[in-house]
Amino acid sequence: MERDQVRNLELLDMKEVVLAHEVDFHTWRYATRLSLRAKIPPEAIRWRVQNTNDKFVEPVFHQNISDEEKINISRNLMYDIMTLIQSYDPERFSLAYRLVYRVFYKELTLQETNDHDLSLLKDRVHDVLKETHHFRKIFSEFVALRECQKLFYENKNYIVEANADFCKARCAQLWEVQTQYRRMLWNGSRLFFGPGTAQSPHVTKAQWRSKDEGVWHEGFYPSQVLPPSRERVKEIDNLPELAATAMDCRSCELCVPACRTVFGVGKALSPMMLVGEQPGDQEDKAGVPFVGPAGQLLDQALEEAGIIRKESYITNAVKHFRFIDKNGRRLHQKPDEKHVMACYPWLEAERRLVKPKVIVMLGATAAHSLLKRSVTIARERSRLFSIEGAEKGLVTIHPSYLLRLPDERAQQQEYDRFVSDLTLARRFVESC
Ligand code: URA
Ligand code: SF4
């Protein structure tokens, strides 16, 4: 795998490094390690991305790095370089090496304020991150509308690959992103990369490369993770961007074992907002709230109550699935108070943007999150009351409660009360 580039590196006195693709961070890092150790000055190396005339090269995959080959460069600088490498700048690999070289040989400290290379780095990183946020918003709008499965996106920087994990989290179903330099396809279970529209107006099956093959082996391209600050969440003024931003939330430990953030679905200014507890196993896999057994029961009750699901906003108090693994089965676990609190800023932002007339709290966790006190459903259900951020609030049972009732008669009775609670909410909306 390493042959061509390594031959370049070793036999040609490291004069030229051929990167396998536009965001080949792996080969850059490997060649940088070797070149730094050999003290090859930045001006002695030419970095370029392979073209169609080259004998095909793959990224250098160098698993066992000896201690001598390791270079001690700050995480922040490496993180910025991973972002820089997505820049449109043809000199980006060379700038990245020059920065690392100068820091390594103590010619430069990262605190310097007047350095040309550092200000170039800052500009490029800023530009890539700005475009990344923009792309994520566009992708999120595309997912919410889902009028077709292909998104045409005019890229400025090479940002597609680094957003693969984001796109997979945001949409579990089939999608394709096309840009001038790259195509990216998710078929629901595997990721593929193909040539961009500038290279190939149409793409054949044989041109797609799976993530596990050659140049697209996992880790051969950067992945951008952008955990948001609370300030940023408060400033976002539209739902697609809010949902996109929530994909990288790391505010509590629930994000680790779950597949994805399951954000709310629906439009701003939906008259009714329904809030559940947290996504379940199926919601976590599908990336959509209330699609499992409780969701089916909710759908049925909504229909009987005369509520059109698509015209309501549906979300959860906690956006990641909490579970314990029992012999390979993921069993639901109630979220703790700390998870509900950590996740509240998302629900607050959804309320601010949806501006519902009525908020229906499905079960005790939703009610606790929104009312900030413990709530006994039996005592407080079935009546409209004033609530901040909407005209009215209403507490009712969680549909999964119905699934747990052992006897059919009790189930029917409770179901009928659930439908009548929802009907009360619908009538209120209609009276506004
Ligand atoms: N239960 C919930 O509270 N939310 C879902 O999305 C699914 C089940
Ligand atoms: Fe963030 Fe909520 Fe997920 Fe915790 S559960 S990581 S707060 S989105």
Side-chain angles (χ1 to χ4, degrees), residues 86-100:
Q86 299 165 55
S87 152
Y88 72 93
D89 185 351
E91 295 300 317
R92 62 198 182 280
F93 291 105
S94 158
L95 171 62
Y97 179 69
R98 197 160 64 242
L99 279 161
V100 172

Side-chain angles (χ1 to χ4, degrees), residues 262 275-281 283 288-295 314-318 332 362 398-400:
V262 180
V275 185
E277 181 194 69
Q278 63 167 353
D281 176 65
E283 287 79 13
V288 181
F290 284 105
V291 290
I314 302 193
T315 192
N316 284 300
V318 170
H332 166 275
L362 303 167
H398 190 286
S400 66

Side-chain angles (χ1 to χ4, degrees), residues 246 249-255 261 318-320 339 342-343 346:
C249 181
R250 302 287 185 269
S251 296
C252 77
E253 79 276 8
L254 298 189
C255 64
T261 308
V318 170
K319 311 290 196 249
H320 272 101
H339 305 126
C343 217
W346 294 114

Side-chain angles (χ1 to χ4, degrees), residues 360-371:
V360 178
M361 290 156 254
L362 303 167
T365 305
H368 180 84
S369 172
L370 286 156
L371 304 177

Side-chain angles (χ1 to χ4, degrees), residues 283-342:
E283 287 79 13
D284 181 52
K285 288 175 183 148
V288 181
F290 284 105
V291 290
Q296 281 159 23
L297 212 49
L298 175 66
D299 282 353
Q300 193 187 323
L302 286 174
E303 200 181 321
E304 283 192 38
I307 298 166
I308 301 168
R309 177 173 165 145
K310 274 207 307 230
E311 289 172 9
S312 309
Y313 188 87
I314 302 193
T315 192
N316 284 300
V318 170
K319 311 290 196 249
H320 272 101
F321 175 37
R322 187 181 194 208
F323 61 93
I324 41 165
D325 195 312
K326 207 158 190 196
N327 307 324
R329 284 186 63 216
R330 305 194 304 167
L331 303 181
H332 166 275
Q333 256 201 318
K334 227 174 124 58
D336 289 342
E337 160 121 20
K338 65 176 181 196
H339 305 126
V340 175
M341 292 302 139

